[in-house]
Amino acid sequence: MKRFYVYLSVLLLGITFVGCNDDFDTPPMVVPQATHTPNMTIAEFKAKYWQDLNNYIDTVKDDIVIHGWVTGNDVSGNIYKSLYISDGTAGFSISVNGTSLYNTYRIGQEIVINMKDCFVGKYNGQQQIGYPQYYEKGDVWEATFLPLATFQAITELNSLPNPSKVDTIPLSISDLGTDAETLKKWQGRLVRIDNVKFPDADGVTTFANADATTNRNIEDEHGNTLVMRNSNYASFRANKLPLGTGSVVGVLSYYNTSATKLDGGTWQLFIRDASDCIGFSSSTKGLIIDPYTVEEAIEGEAEGKSGWMMGYVVGAVAPEVSEVKSAADVEWEAPTTLDNTLVIAPSADCRDIAKCMVVALPQGTPFRQMANLVDWPEVLGTKILVKGKFEKFMGTHGITGNSGSKDEFQLSITTGGVTSVEEKFENGIPSDWTIYTPQGDKKWFTSTFDNNTYACITAYKGTKPPYEAWLISPAIDIKKAKSRVLNFKSQVGYQGATDKFEVYIFNGQVPFSGEVTDKINCTLAVAPSTGYSGFVESGDIDLSQYADGTYYIGFRYTAGTASNYQTWCIDDFSFGVAPAAATRGDFESFNSGTATATYGNYTTKAGWKATNASILKGGAADANPVFTFIGFKTGSTTDYAMACNLSGKTSGVGTLVSPEIEGGLGTLSFNYGYAYTESNGVSFRVDIKQGGTVVKSFDVTKKDAVKYTAYEFKEEVNLKGAFTIEVTNLCPSKSTSNKDRVALWNMTWTQN
């Protein structure tokens, strides 16, 4: 609007002073004209200053002027602080410490460079015009970014941009050797490579990941590959990789971190924008996101089609069958006799071999290990995705060419899991855990505080909301695990407006792709008003309801756009670990660790049950239900013990019963005493049972017991195998009122 007022003012002034004269002159177009004349080609210049080193810097002392037309710039954000030029003899890269260079140096713009007293060298194998920098760690000089003002001072524009001057040279990937002559010839050149494909193209994978520059290969018909380097800041970053076969145009660079070897590096291709990928297909049929049905795959046999197909596992080829001719040649029930094939149908109840396809499970491959119906009968009737060529196999419709790798099949359920996991993340996030980030640019990582390392996630300093980040455990075989209990610790720091943290159990190879996705109810840390919470135990999470197979545990963090974010931490993950044989009663977990004078029934985490009892605790001063005579836990000078205080009235006799304990019983020890005024001392019975039968029993009686006094008891039992301990108050006063109360604590035993 402001510009309109300026134009209007100028117009009114023109009317005032010129009257009706509307014969205005058109401003002349300024065409830049260079004052220097090129006297050396780029090819000659590169050869003159070439050194067989991967890092060096040299000063141009001669009156050398070169020129070239811009072939690559930063218009899309994929090329960073660099320009590429060519004069027809060779290409060259120029490192410039500036951004938005494309506004001045457009494709086809001729530039003339006065190189006298300027610098040429290499940075990690790539020869370029740049600026000296000493790399102390490598003890070498190298070429870094030329200051923008310096570049502008030595460079002149000549004429207007003329894209027709930009030469694109046909190239085969096999032409890219690593000898000096090949490096000089192709570095910095704009090339076109025909008849190539993107092996990673699946209709889902993008040019670059959201959080980092990403390498994607292109591959020709002979299997030769070339790295395409794609920035996560490129405008086409989120574009899907092109499908099928086509041509790719880009500028060539070379990267080599070796101190001396020229041939230890990697050729890299930088496209300038998405339009540099030419002639590729838009069809997704046969990709994993759009697989063929069994019917379509069978129809495609005549055309030699290949790709992904989806169906249902209905059986395996029967023993001693080399040619499948009828339904009798297939075992339709699981477990099957052999583990080397699968029969796949359009529906789980199909038994018509003419509508089915057979695929081999190559020996020693993940496909056989995870999908065969001998070890995993639960695979029968489930969906499966298989990649291969559709052609006759074993005399019937088949899928061939599948190597059995994890990249060429996908089950809808999980198999082949481990039976136990203990992970403290002390060495980072292990390779068998999965970091999955469907949204945003924040991933799980590890952090260390107070000599403890743990896994973390936060959206703090993220730049691409919304955020969704998963940390996924290895597959766990709940069916075969010795223990089906899951435990972990969580911690959370700070307040967040949009943060959400959840724990899931699921099967399938990707979150939510399987048939079961349940949220796990567990105890999670609660964010304090400031700073971090402590690590909080999840509690024992019983996964017995999932004992039909193999699953994953996934920790899911989500957040939207906000000014503040939480940090969530996970540590001490444990599943399937058979608990060590107990040697101490966990009385400290009675009533969640809180003493109470109220008589009732209480149970510890491990399963000790106190009936008609109150829960006492040691302390620095007597204040019912806390008493000094109970003292500390065995072996501690800081943690007070908790005691089970058994009622002494005949109408509600106090008892204490242990869970079944493994490992045998050598010597049984505990403390006892009473905290209240009792007239007949203490008397109680201890029964040791196996299989519900008392195998040893002894009475503990002390008529002269003194209030607020701790007594110790020991008994040699010498018992093998599992056992239970039962304590019953004998109520020596035989009173209906609550007399003869007795407290027991620090109950320990040795294994036998």
Side-chain angles (χ1 to χ4, degrees), residues 281-579:
S281 171
S282 59
S283 174
T284 60
K285 197 63 184 177
L287 299 177
I288 196 167
I289 61 168
D290 188 15
Y292 291 101
T293 63
V294 174
E295 296 93 337
E296 290 171 334
I298 291 174
E299 290 177 3
E301 285 181 0
E303 301 175 36
K305 287 185 177 180
S306 61
W308 285 90
M309 60 81 64
M310 183 178 70
Y312 290 82
V313 177
V314 294
V317 177
E320 300 183 8
V321 173
S322 59
E323 189 173 343
V324 178
K325 297 179 180 179
S326 68
D329 295 325
V330 175
E331 290 185 311
W332 303 99
E333 301 293 333
T336 56
T337 305
L338 300 177
D339 63 357
N340 58 350
T341 62
L342 289 178
V343 178
I344 302 172
S347 63
D349 59 355
C350 176
R351 298 296 182 268
D352 184 351
I353 192 61
K355 296 180 180 179
C356 299
M357 303 183 78
V358 177
V359 63
L361 305 180
Q363 187 173 3
T365 66
F367 201 1
R368 181 178 292 196
Q369 292 166 1
M370 300 173 68
N372 79 82
L373 294 178
V374 176
D375 297 323
W376 312 107
E378 59 264 36
V379 170
L380 187 72
T382 64
K383 283 184 181 180
I384 188 171
L385 283 158
V386 179
K387 185 179 182 182
K389 185 177 181 180
F390 312 137
E391 62 182 357
K392 295 296 181 181
F393 178 64
M394 297 188 74
T396 187
H397 305 301
I399 307 163
T400 65
N402 187 294
S403 69
S405 73
K406 287 185 178 181
D407 296 331
E408 295 183 336
F409 75 97
Q410 194 171 109
L411 302 176
S412 58
I413 66 169
T414 308
T415 61
V418 297
T419 56
S420 65
V421 181
E422 284 188 280
E423 186 52 59
K424 297 181 180 294
F425 304 105
E426 291 300 320
N427 296 311
I429 295 175
S431 59
D432 57 349
W433 286 66
T434 301
I435 297 174
Y436 174 58
T437 310
Q439 292 190 99
D441 58 348
K442 299 296 292 183
K443 291 183 177 181
W444 282 82
F445 61 99
T446 55
S447 184
T448 301
F449 178 76
D450 197 20
N451 295 319
N452 180 41
T453 302
Y454 39 86
C456 305
I457 184 61
T458 179
Y460 178 62
K461 291 189 176 180
T463 60
K464 298 180 180 179
Y467 305 95
E468 181 180 3
W470 287 77
L471 179 63
I472 303 170
S473 75
I476 54 176
D477 189 343
I478 300 173
K479 184 177 182 179
K480 298 177 183 177
K482 292 181 179 179
S483 168
R484 293 168 180 166
V485 174
L486 168 69
N487 300 96
F488 62 88
K489 293 177 182 176
S490 64
Q491 181 187 55
V492 61
Y494 305 105
Q495 296 288 324
T498 61
D499 304 74
K500 192 174 182 180
F501 191 78
E502 301 163 305
V503 187
Y504 285 87
I505 182 169
F506 56 89
N507 61 17
Q509 293 178 319
V510 180
F512 305 124
S513 72
E515 297 177 356
V516 176
T517 300
D518 289 344
K519 186 176 177 181
I520 292 177
N521 293 320
C522 56
T523 301
L524 294 174
V526 177
S529 58
T530 184
Y532 282 81
S533 71
F535 273 99
V536 174
E537 295 275 1
S538 64
D540 291 338
I541 304 165
D542 186 2
L543 301 181
S544 296
Q545 62 179 304
Y546 304 102
D548 58 335
T550 304
Y551 295 81
Y552 296 93
I553 304 298
F555 297 96
R556 181 184 186 230
Y557 170 81
T558 57
T561 302
S563 57
N564 296 305
Y565 292 103
Q566 294 178 324
T567 297
W568 279 89
C569 310
I570 293 295
D571 202 5
D572 295 341
F573 181 97
S574 174
F575 167 78
V577 179

Side-chain angles (χ1 to χ4, degrees), residues 573-623:
F573 181 97
S574 174
F575 167 78
V577 179
T583 57
R584 187 180 191 281
D586 64 331
F587 291 9
E588 283 67 40
S589 66
F590 270 127
N591 197 37
S592 300
T594 303
T596 175
T598 301
Y599 285 85
N601 302 329
Y602 301 94
T603 304
T604 72
K605 287 184 177 181
W608 288 77
K609 295 181 179 180
T611 304
N612 298 322
S614 62
I615 306 301
L616 311 182
K617 188 173 185 177
D622 294 330

Side-chain angles (χ1 to χ4, degrees), residues 46 78 86 516 575 678 685:
K46 291 178 70 173
N78 196 43
S86 173
V516 176
F575 167 78
E678 311 294 357
R685 185 179 70 250

Side-chain angles (χ1 to χ4, degrees), residues 31-39 63-67 109-115 152-159:
V31 178
Q33 185 67 44
T35 61
H36 289 83
T37 301
N39 57 19
D63 290 316
I64 296 175
V65 178
I66 62 173
H67 82 120
Q109 175 65 60
E110 184 183 7
I111 62 174
V112 179
I113 309 174
N114 181 8
M115 288 302 303
Q152 292 170 334
I154 66 173
T155 303
E156 296 177 295
L157 304 182
N158 192 48
S159 193

